[in-house]
Coordinates of all heavy atoms in Angstrom, one line a residue:
M582 N 81.0 133.0 83.3 CA 81.2 132.5 84.6 C 80.0 131.8 85.2 O 78.9 132.1 84.9 CB 81.5 133.8 85.5 CG 82.0 133.4 86.9 SD 82.2 134.9 87.9 CE 83.9 135.3 87.5
T583 N 80.3 130.7 85.9 CA 79.2 129.9 86.4 C 79.2 129.9 88.0 O 80.3 130.0 88.5 CB 79.2 128.5 86.0 OG1 80.5 127.9 86.3 CG2 78.9 128.4 84.5
F584 N 78.1 129.9 88.6 CA 78.0 129.9 90.0 C 77.3 128.6 90.5 O 76.4 128.2 89.8 CB 77.2 131.1 90.6 CG 77.9 132.4 90.3 CD1 77.6 133.2 89.2 CD2 78.9 132.9 91.2 CE1 78.2 134.4 89.0 CE2 79.5 134.1 91.0 CZ 79.2 134.8 89.9
T585 N 77.8 128.0 91.5 CA 77.1 126.9 92.1 C 76.5 127.3 93.4 O 77.2 127.5 94.4 CB 78.1 125.7 92.3 OG1 78.9 125.6 91.1 CG2 77.4 124.4 92.6
F586 N 75.2 127.5 93.4 CA 74.6 128.1 94.6 C 74.6 127.1 95.8 O 74.2 125.9 95.7 CB 73.1 128.3 94.2 CG 72.4 129.0 95.3 CD1 72.8 130.2 95.9 CD2 71.2 128.4 95.9 CE1 72.1 130.8 96.9 CE2 70.5 129.0 96.9 CZ 71.0 130.2 97.4
R587 N 75.2 127.6 96.8 CA 75.2 126.9 98.1 C 76.2 125.7 98.2 O 76.7 125.4 99.3 CB 73.9 126.4 98.6 CG 73.0 127.6 99.0 CD 71.7 127.1 99.6 NE 71.9 126.3 100.8 CZ 70.9 125.5 101.3 NH1 69.8 125.4 100.7 NH2 71.2 124.8 102.4
E588 N 76.5 125.1 97.1 CA 77.4 124.0 97.2 C 78.9 124.6 97.4 O 79.2 125.5 96.7 CB 77.4 123.1 95.9 CG 78.2 121.9 96.1 CD 77.4 120.7 95.4 OE1 76.4 120.9 94.7 OE2 78.0 119.6 95.5
T589 N 79.6 124.0 98.3 CA 80.9 124.6 98.6 C 81.9 124.3 97.5 O 82.0 123.1 97.0 CB 81.5 124.0 99.9 OG1 81.4 122.6 99.9 CG2 80.7 124.6 101.1
T590 N 82.6 125.3 97.0 CA 83.6 125.0 96.0 C 85.0 125.0 96.6 O 85.8 124.3 96.2 CB 83.5 126.1 94.9 OG1 83.4 127.4 95.6 CG2 82.3 125.9 94.0
Q591 N 85.2 125.9 97.6 CA 86.4 125.9 98.3 C 86.2 125.2 99.7 O 85.7 125.8 100.6 CB 86.9 127.3 98.6 CG 87.4 128.0 97.4 CD 87.9 129.4 97.8 OE1 87.1 130.2 98.1 NE2 89.2 129.6 97.7
R592 N 86.6 123.9 99.8 CA 86.3 123.2 101.0 C 87.0 123.8 102.2 O 86.5 123.7 103.3 CB 86.6 121.7 100.8 CG 85.6 121.1 99.9 CD 85.8 119.7 99.5 NE 84.9 119.4 98.4 CZ 84.9 118.4 97.7 NH1 85.8 117.5 97.9 NH2 84.0 118.2 96.7
S593 N 88.2 124.3 102.0 CA 88.9 124.9 103.2 C 88.2 126.1 103.7 O 88.4 126.5 104.9 CB 90.3 125.2 102.8 OG 90.3 126.1 101.7
A594 N 87.3 126.7 102.9 CA 86.6 127.9 103.4 C 85.3 127.6 104.0 O 84.7 128.5 104.6 CB 86.4 128.9 102.2
A595 N 84.9 126.4 104.0 CA 83.6 126.0 104.6 C 83.7 126.1 106.1 O 84.8 125.9 106.7 CB 83.2 124.6 104.2
P596 N 82.6 126.4 106.8 CA 82.7 126.5 108.3 C 83.0 125.2 109.0 O 83.5 125.1 110.1 CB 81.3 127.0 108.7 CG 80.4 126.8 107.5 CD 81.3 126.8 106.3
V597 N 82.7 124.1 108.3 CA 83.0 122.8 108.9 C 84.0 122.1 108.1 O 83.9 121.9 106.8 CB 81.7 121.9 109.0 CG1 82.0 120.5 109.5 CG2 80.7 122.6 109.9
T598 N 85.1 121.7 108.7 CA 86.2 121.0 108.0 C 86.5 119.7 108.7 O 86.2 119.5 109.9 CB 87.5 121.8 107.9 OG1 87.8 122.3 109.2 CG2 87.3 123.0 107.0
V599 N 87.0 118.7 107.9 CA 87.2 117.4 108.4 C 88.7 117.1 108.2 O 89.3 117.2 107.1 CB 86.4 116.4 107.6 CG1 86.7 115.0 108.0 CG2 84.9 116.6 107.9
D600 N 89.3 116.6 109.3 CA 90.7 116.2 109.2 C 90.8 114.8 108.6 O 90.3 113.8 109.1 CB 91.2 116.2 110.7 CG 92.7 115.8 110.7 OD1 93.2 115.2 109.8 OD2 93.4 116.2 111.7
H601 N 91.3 114.8 107.4 CA 91.3 113.5 106.6 C 92.2 112.5 107.3 O 91.9 111.3 107.1 CB 91.9 113.8 105.2 CG 90.8 114.4 104.3 ND1 91.0 114.4 102.9 CD2 89.6 114.9 104.6 CE1 89.9 115.0 102.4 NE2 89.1 115.3 103.4
D602 N 93.1 112.9 108.1 CA 94.0 111.9 108.7 C 93.2 111.2 109.9 O 93.5 110.0 110.2 CB 95.2 112.5 109.4 CG 96.2 113.0 108.3 OD1 96.1 112.5 107.1 OD2 96.9 113.9 108.5
K603 N 92.2 111.9 110.4 CA 91.4 111.3 111.5 C 90.1 110.6 111.0 O 89.6 109.7 111.7 CB 91.1 112.4 112.5 CG 92.3 112.9 113.3 CD 91.8 113.9 114.3 CE 93.0 114.5 115.1 NZ 92.5 115.7 115.8
C604 N 89.6 111.1 110.0 CA 88.3 110.6 109.5 C 88.3 109.2 109.1 O 89.2 108.8 108.3 CB 87.7 111.5 108.3 SG 86.2 110.9 107.7
I605 N 87.4 108.4 109.6 CA 87.4 106.9 109.3 C 86.1 106.6 108.5 O 85.6 105.5 108.5 CB 87.4 106.1 110.6 CG1 86.4 106.5 111.6 CG2 88.8 106.2 111.2 CD1 86.2 105.5 112.7
A606 N 85.7 107.5 107.7 CA 84.5 107.3 106.8 C 84.9 106.1 105.8 O 84.0 105.3 105.4 CB 84.2 108.5 106.0
D607 N 86.1 106.0 105.4 CA 86.5 104.9 104.5 C 86.4 103.5 105.2 O 86.5 102.5 104.6 CB 87.9 105.1 103.9 CG 88.9 105.5 105.0 OD1 88.6 105.6 106.2 OD2 90.1 105.7 104.6
K608 N 86.2 103.5 106.5 CA 86.0 102.3 107.3 C 84.5 102.1 107.6 O 84.1 101.3 108.4 CB 86.8 102.2 108.5 CG 88.3 102.2 108.2 CD 89.2 102.0 109.4 CE 90.6 101.8 109.1 NZ 91.3 103.0 108.5
G609 N 83.7 103.0 107.1 CA 82.2 102.8 107.2 C 81.5 103.8 108.1 O 80.3 103.7 108.3
C610 N 82.3 104.7 108.7 CA 81.6 105.7 109.6 C 80.9 106.7 108.8 O 81.3 107.2 107.8 CB 82.7 106.4 110.5 SG 82.0 107.6 111.6
T611 N 79.6 107.0 109.2 CA 78.8 108.1 108.6 C 78.2 108.9 109.7 O 77.1 109.6 109.4 CB 77.7 107.5 107.7 OG1 76.9 106.6 108.5 CG2 78.3 106.7 106.5
V612 N 78.7 108.9 110.9 CA 78.1 109.5 112.0 C 77.7 111.0 111.8 O 76.6 111.5 112.0 CB 78.9 109.4 113.3 CG1 78.4 110.3 114.4 CG2 79.0 108.0 113.8
C613 N 78.7 111.8 111.3 CA 78.5 113.2 111.2 C 77.4 113.5 110.1 O 76.6 114.4 110.2 CB 79.8 113.9 110.8 SG 80.6 113.4 109.3
V614 N 77.5 112.7 109.0 CA 76.5 112.8 108.0 C 75.1 112.5 108.5 O 74.1 113.2 108.2 CB 76.8 111.8 106.8 CG1 75.7 111.9 105.7 CG2 78.2 112.1 106.2
D615 N 75.0 111.5 109.4 CA 73.7 111.1 109.9 C 73.1 112.1 111.0 O 71.9 112.3 111.0 CB 73.8 109.7 110.6 CG 74.2 108.6 109.6 OD1 73.9 108.9 108.4 OD2 74.7 107.6 110.0
V616 N 74.0 112.7 111.7 CA 73.5 113.6 112.8 C 73.2 115.0 112.4 O 72.5 115.7 113.0 CB 74.4 113.7 114.0 CG1 74.6 112.3 114.7 CG2 75.8 114.2 113.7
C617 N 73.7 115.5 111.2 CA 73.5 116.9 110.8 C 72.0 117.1 110.5 O 71.5 116.4 109.6 CB 74.3 117.2 109.7 SG 74.0 118.9 109.1
P618 N 71.3 118.0 111.2 CA 69.9 118.2 111.0 C 69.6 118.8 109.6 O 68.5 118.7 109.1 CB 69.4 119.1 112.1 CG 70.7 119.8 112.5 CD 71.8 118.8 112.3
L619 N 70.6 119.4 109.0 CA 70.4 120.1 107.7 C 70.9 119.2 106.6 O 70.8 119.7 105.4 CB 71.1 121.4 107.7 CG 70.5 122.5 108.7 CD1 71.3 123.8 108.6 CD2 69.0 122.7 108.5
D620 N 71.5 118.1 106.9 CA 72.0 117.2 105.8 C 73.1 117.9 105.0 O 73.1 117.9 103.8 CB 70.9 116.8 104.9 CG 70.6 115.3 104.9 OD1 71.5 114.6 105.4 OD2 69.6 114.9 104.4
L621 N 74.0 118.6 105.7 CA 75.0 119.4 105.0 C 76.3 118.6 104.7 O 77.1 119.0 103.8 CB 75.4 120.6 105.8 CG 74.3 121.5 106.3 CD1 74.8 122.6 107.2 CD2 73.6 122.1 105.1
L622 N 76.5 117.5 105.4 CA 77.7 116.8 105.2 C 77.5 115.6 104.4 O 76.4 115.0 104.3 CB 78.2 116.4 106.6 CG 78.3 117.6 107.6 CD1 78.8 117.1 109.0 CD2 79.3 118.6 107.1
A623 N 78.6 115.1 103.7 CA 78.5 114.0 102.9 C 79.9 113.3 102.9 O 80.9 113.8 103.3 CB 78.1 114.4 101.5
I624 N 79.9 112.1 102.4 CA 81.2 111.4 102.2 C 81.6 111.6 100.7 O 80.8 111.4 99.8 CB 81.0 109.9 102.4 CG1 80.4 109.6 103.8 CG2 82.4 109.2 102.3 CD1 81.1 110.1 105.0
D625 N 82.8 112.1 100.6 CA 83.3 112.4 99.2 C 83.8 111.1 98.6 O 84.7 110.4 99.1 CB 84.5 113.4 99.4 CG 85.0 113.8 98.0 OD1 84.8 113.1 97.0 OD2 85.6 114.9 97.9
P626 N 83.2 110.7 97.5 CA 83.5 109.4 96.9 C 85.0 109.4 96.4 O 85.6 108.3 96.3 CB 82.6 109.2 95.8 CG 81.9 110.5 95.5 CD 82.1 111.3 96.8
D627 N 85.5 110.5 96.1 CA 86.9 110.6 95.6 C 87.9 110.3 96.7 O 88.9 109.7 96.5 CB 87.2 112.0 95.0 CG 86.4 112.2 93.7 OD1 86.0 111.2 93.1 OD2 86.1 113.4 93.4
T628 N 87.7 110.9 97.9 CA 88.6 110.8 99.0 C 88.2 109.7 100.0 O 89.1 109.3 100.8 CB 88.8 112.1 99.8 OG1 87.5 112.5 100.3 CG2 89.2 113.2 98.8
G629 N 86.9 109.3 100.0 CA 86.5 108.4 101.0 C 86.4 109.1 102.4 O 86.3 108.4 103.4
K630 N 86.4 110.4 102.5 CA 86.3 111.1 103.7 C 85.1 112.0 103.7 O 84.5 112.4 102.7 CB 87.5 112.0 103.9 CG 88.8 111.2 103.8 CD 89.1 110.3 104.9 CE 90.4 109.5 104.7 NZ 90.7 108.6 105.9
A631 N 84.6 112.4 104.9 CA 83.5 113.3 105.1 C 83.9 114.7 104.7 O 85.1 115.1 104.8 CB 83.0 113.3 106.5
Y632 N 83.0 115.5 104.2 CA 83.2 116.9 103.9 C 81.9 117.7 104.0 O 80.8 117.1 104.0 CB 83.9 117.1 102.6 CG 83.0 116.9 101.4 CD1 82.6 118.1 100.6 CD2 82.5 115.7 101.0 CE1 81.8 117.9 99.5 CE2 81.6 115.6 99.9 CZ 81.3 116.7 99.2 OH 80.4 116.6 98.1
M633 N 82.0 119.0 104.0 CA 80.9 119.8 104.0 C 80.4 120.1 102.6 O 81.0 120.8 101.9 CB 81.2 121.2 104.7 CG 79.9 122.0 104.8 SD 80.0 123.4 105.9 CE 78.5 123.2 106.9
K634 N 79.3 119.5 102.3 CA 78.8 119.6 100.9 C 78.1 120.9 100.7 O 78.2 121.5 99.6 CB 77.9 118.4 100.6 CG 77.5 118.4 99.1 CD 76.8 117.1 98.8 CE 76.4 117.0 97.3 NZ 75.6 115.8 97.0
F635 N 77.3 121.3 101.7 CA 76.5 122.6 101.5 C 77.0 123.6 102.6 O 77.0 123.2 103.8 CB 75.0 122.3 101.6 CG 74.6 121.4 100.5 CD1 74.3 120.1 100.7 CD2 74.4 121.9 99.2 CE1 73.9 119.2 99.7 CE2 74.0 121.1 98.2 CZ 73.7 119.7 98.4
D636 N 77.3 124.7 102.1 CA 77.9 125.7 103.0 C 76.7 126.5 103.7 O 76.4 127.6 103.3 CB 78.8 126.7 102.2 CG 79.6 127.6 103.1 OD1 79.3 127.6 104.4 OD2 80.4 128.3 102.6
E637 N 76.2 125.9 104.7 CA 75.0 126.5 105.4 C 75.0 125.7 106.7 O 75.0 124.5 106.8 CB 73.7 126.1 104.6 CG 72.4 126.6 105.2 CD 72.2 128.1 104.8 OE1 72.3 128.4 103.7 OE2 72.0 128.8 105.8
C638 N 75.1 126.5 107.8 CA 75.3 125.8 109.1 C 74.6 126.4 110.2 O 74.5 127.6 110.3 CB 76.8 125.7 109.4 SG 77.3 124.6 110.7
W639 N 74.0 125.6 111.1 CA 73.4 126.1 112.3 C 74.3 126.2 113.5 O 73.9 126.6 114.6 CB 72.2 125.2 112.7 CG 71.0 125.5 111.9 CD1 70.7 126.5 111.0 CD2 69.8 124.6 111.9 NE1 69.5 126.3 110.4 CE2 68.9 125.2 111.0 CE3 69.4 123.5 112.6 CZ2 67.6 124.7 110.7 CZ3 68.2 122.9 112.3 CH2 67.3 123.5 111.4
Y640 N 75.5 125.7 113.4 CA 76.5 125.6 114.4 C 75.9 125.0 115.7 O 76.1 125.4 116.8 CB 77.0 127.1 114.8 CG 77.5 127.7 113.5 CD1 76.8 128.7 112.8 CD2 78.8 127.4 113.0 CE1 77.3 129.3 111.7 CE2 79.2 127.9 111.8 CZ 78.5 128.9 111.2 OH 78.9 129.4 110.0
C641 N 75.2 123.9 115.4 CA 74.5 123.2 116.5 C 75.5 122.1 117.1 O 75.2 121.6 118.2 CB 73.2 122.5 116.0 SG 73.5 121.5 114.6
M642 N 76.5 121.8 116.4 CA 77.7 121.0 116.9 C 77.6 119.5 117.0 O 78.7 118.9 117.3 CB 78.1 121.5 118.2 CG 78.5 123.0 118.2 SD 79.7 123.4 116.9 CE 81.2 123.0 117.8
P643 N 76.5 118.8 116.8 CA 76.6 117.3 117.0 C 77.6 116.6 116.0 O 78.2 115.6 116.4 CB 75.2 116.8 116.7 CG 74.5 118.0 115.9 CD 75.2 119.2 116.5
C644 N 77.8 117.2 114.9 CA 78.8 116.6 114.0 C 80.1 116.5 114.6 O 80.8 115.5 114.5 CB 78.8 117.4 112.6 SG 79.2 119.1 112.9
A645 N 80.5 117.6 115.3 CA 81.8 117.6 115.9 C 81.8 116.8 117.2 O 82.8 116.0 117.5 CB 82.2 119.1 116.3
K646 N 80.7 116.9 118.0 CA 80.7 116.2 119.3 C 80.6 114.7 119.1 O 81.2 113.9 119.9 CB 79.5 116.7 120.1 CG 79.6 118.0 120.7 CD 78.6 118.3 121.8 CE 78.6 119.7 122.2 NZ 77.4 120.5 121.9
D647 N 79.9 114.2 118.1 CA 79.6 112.8 117.9 C 80.7 112.1 117.1 O 80.7 110.9 117.1 CB 78.2 112.6 117.3 CG 77.1 113.0 118.3 OD1 77.4 113.3 119.4 OD2 76.0 113.0 117.8
C648 N 81.5 112.8 116.4 CA 82.5 112.2 115.6 C 83.4 111.3 116.5 O 84.0 111.9 117.5 CB 83.4 113.2 114.9 SG 84.8 112.4 114.0
P649 N 83.5 110.0 116.3 CA 84.3 109.2 117.2 C 85.8 109.4 117.2 O 86.5 109.0 118.1 CB 84.0 107.7 116.6 CG 83.6 107.9 115.2 CD 82.9 109.3 115.2
T650 N 86.3 110.1 116.2 CA 87.7 110.4 116.2 C 88.1 111.8 116.3 O 89.3 112.2 116.2 CB 88.3 109.8 114.8 OG1 87.8 110.6 113.8 CG2 88.0 108.4 114.6
G651 N 87.1 112.7 116.5 CA 87.4 114.1 116.7 C 87.9 114.7 115.4 O 88.7 115.7 115.5
A652 N 87.4 114.3 114.3 CA 88.0 114.8 113.0 C 87.3 116.0 112.5 O 87.8 116.7 111.7 CB 87.8 113.7 111.9
V653 N 86.1 116.3 113.1 CA 85.3 117.4 112.6 C 85.6 118.7 113.4 O 85.6 118.7 114.6 CB 83.8 117.1 112.7 CG1 82.9 118.3 112.2 CG2 83.4 115.8 112.0
R654 N 85.9 119.7 112.6 CA 86.1 121.0 113.3 C 85.1 122.0 112.7 O 84.9 122.2 111.5 CB 87.5 121.5 112.9 CG 87.9 122.8 113.5 CD 89.3 123.3 113.1 NE 89.5 124.7 113.3 CZ 89.8 125.2 114.5 NH1 90.0 124.4 115.5 NH2 89.9 126.5 114.6
V655 N 84.4 122.7 113.7 CA 83.4 123.7 113.3 C 83.9 125.0 113.6 O 84.2 125.3 114.8 CB 82.0 123.4 114.0 CG1 81.0 124.5 113.6 CG2 81.5 122.0 113.7
E656 N 84.1 125.9 112.6 CA 84.6 127.2 112.8 C 83.4 128.2 113.0 O 82.7 128.5 112.1 CB 85.4 127.6 111.5 CG 86.4 128.7 111.7 CD 87.5 128.3 112.6 OE1 88.2 127.3 112.3 OE2 87.7 129.0 113.6
I657 N 83.2 128.5 114.3 CA 82.0 129.4 114.6 C 82.4 130.8 114.3 O 83.4 131.3 114.7 CB 81.6 129.2 116.1 CG1 81.2 127.8 116.3 CG2 80.5 130.2 116.4 CD1 80.9 127.4 117.7
P658 N 81.6 131.5 113.4 CA 81.9 132.9 113.1 C 82.0 133.8 114.3 O 81.3 133.6 115.3 CB 80.7 133.3 112.2 CG 80.1 132.1 111.8 CD 80.3 131.0 112.8
Y659 N 82.9 134.7 114.2 CA 83.1 135.6 115.3 C 81.9 136.2 115.9 O 81.7 136.3 117.1 CB 84.1 136.7 114.9 CG 84.4 137.7 115.9 CD1 85.2 137.4 117.0 CD2 83.9 139.0 115.9 CE1 85.5 138.3 118.0 CE2 84.2 139.9 116.8 CZ 85.0 139.6 117.9 OH 85.3 140.5 118.9
L660 N 81.0 136.6 115.0 CA 79.7 137.3 115.5 C 78.8 136.4 116.2 O 77.9 136.9 116.9 CB 79.0 138.0 114.3 CG 79.8 139.2 113.7 CD1 79.1 139.6 112.4 CD2 79.8 140.3 114.7
L661 N 78.9 135.1 116.1 CA 78.0 134.2 116.8 C 78.6 133.7 118.1 O 77.9 133.0 118.8 CB 77.7 133.0 115.9 CG 76.9 133.3 114.6 CD1 76.6 132.0 113.9 CD2 75.6 134.0 115.0
R662 N 79.8 134.1 118.4 CA 80.5 133.5 119.6 C 79.9 134.2 120.9 O 79.5 135.3 120.8 CB 82.0 133.7 119.5 CG 82.6 132.6 118.7 CD 84.1 132.8 118.6 NE 84.6 132.1 117.4 CZ 85.8 132.2 117.0 NH1 86.7 132.9 117.6 NH2 86.1 131.6 115.9
Ligands
SF4_695 S1 77.2 122.2 113.2 FE1 75.1 121.4 113.0 S2 74.3 122.2 111.1 FE2 76.5 122.6 111.1 S3 77.4 120.8 109.9 FE3 77.4 120.3 112.1 S4 75.5 119.2 112.6 FE4 75.3 120.2 110.6
SF4_696 S1 81.9 111.2 112.2 FE1 84.1 111.7 112.0 S2 85.1 109.8 111.4 FE2 82.9 109.6 111.0 S3 82.6 110.2 108.9 FE3 82.3 112.0 110.1 S4 84.3 113.0 110.2 FE4 84.6 110.9 109.5

């Protein structure tokens, strides 16, 4: 069995998810990738859309706030609310 430390393997389980229908990364947008202070987000070359590459989050929210199309959803854990 192999483990991939910190890299998200199940994208739907990551705290930050991106609505592919709304994401316009394939038109050149990289806002969420640029604003994340931890560099957790990336553009998936396969889909041309943004996704959470590293499952580690400060829940600081600029990725969601600054996304021009509202494609980013940050799922804040219950204990942090
Ligand atoms: S909430 Fe903050 S740390 Fe988490 S992905 Fe968005 S910008 Fe990065
Ligand atoms: S900011 Fe929004 S539209 Fe731009 S790459 Fe990120 S998710 Fe896609």
Side-chain angles (χ1 to χ4, degrees):
M582 191 184 267
T583 55
F584 293 97
T585 311
F586 185 59
R587 288 186 62 196
E588 188 142 5
T589 51
T590 47
Q591 284 180 293
R592 284 174 194 171
S593 57
V597 176
T598 50
V599 173
D600 185 333
H601 281 194
D602 292 337
K603 291 183 183 167
C604 178
I605 53 169
D607 47 0
K608 295 188 173 65
C610 181
T611 58
V612 170
C613 59
V614 176
D615 296 338
V616 296
C617 177
L619 297 180
D620 244 345
L621 304 177
L622 308 176
I624 309 298
D625 186 335
D627 294 336
T628 61
K630 306 291 179 178
Y632 76 108
M633 181 166 232
K634 186 170 184 187
F635 297 103
D636 189 353
E637 179 79 55
C638 191
W639 281 349
Y640 305 102
C641 55
M642 302 306 277
C644 57
K646 285 197 189 114
D647 294 351
C648 173
T650 63
V653 180
R654 181 181 162 82
V655 179
E656 200 67 57
I657 299 175
Y659 179 71
L660 289 173
L661 292 183
R662 279 180 205 172

